[in-house]
Amino acid sequence: QVQLVESGGGLVRPGGSLRLSCVASGRTFSRNMMAWFRQAPGKEREFVAASAVYTYIADSVKGRFTISRDNAKNTVYLQMNRLKPEDTAVYYCAARSTDSSSYYYAPIAYDYWGQGTQVTVSS
């Protein structure tokens, strides 16, 4: 069993930056994929970024967001730059129980989820 705890969300003005952190506890492996998803009010959960051996970034945030990982700390980060109002959402950390990279963009492919952290981009 793996537990995930997100932090770093908050209120930021358009063009600003935030860094989200997700700390994993329990049985986890450096090869196993971890990811960020987000969900805005009235919308379905949306893939943002994933990290295993390689990284994957959604087109909607490519060039602005980066995902990184510190396996020694069992932590994955999401650096968000040049934030836009449409980035406003609850951001969720997710992890897999295997080292598979298939369907990295699909919420159903992930076994563990954090509680989420709110990111609000507003002037």
Side-chain angles (χ1 to χ4, degrees):
Q1 180 71 20
V2 173
Q3 292 185 333
L4 306 174
V5 179
E6 305 99 331
S7 63
L11 175 64
V12 64
R13 287 184 165 184
S17 298
L18 285 173
R19 188 181 71 171
L20 306 184
S21 300
C22 174
V23 179
S25 61
R27 191 166 183 261
T28 186
F29 299 93
S30 62
R31 296 175 300 168
N32 291 10
M33 180 165 284
M34 297 182 70
W36 290 96
F37 291 79
R38 66 186 183 184
Q39 189 165 21
K43 299 180 67 176
E44 294 188 349
R45 194 159 297 188
E46 175 190 18
F47 170 76
V48 177
S51 174
V53 176
Y54 300 103
T55 61
Y56 307 88
I57 306 293
D59 289 341
S60 60
V61 302
K62 189 171 294 183
R64 299 188 297 120
F65 292 11
T66 57
I67 186 170
S68 61
R69 194 166 177 176
D70 186 341
N71 289 319
K73 297 181 179 179
N74 288 330
T75 302
V76 64
Y77 305 93
L78 184 68
Q79 179 66 48
M80 305 184 294
N81 298 321
R82 301 189 302 280
L83 284 159
K84 304 175 181 179
E86 51 262 45
D87 295 318
T88 296
V90 177
Y91 283 71
Y92 296 92
C93 180
R96 291 189 176 193
S97 60
T98 72
D99 62 357
S100 173
S101 295
S102 62
Y103 300 98
Y104 63 85
Y105 53 85
I108 195 67
Y110 293 83
D111 303 293
Y112 310 105
W113 293 86
Q115 292 295 310
T117 185
Q118 177 71 47
V119 172
T120 302
V121 184
S122 176
S123 60

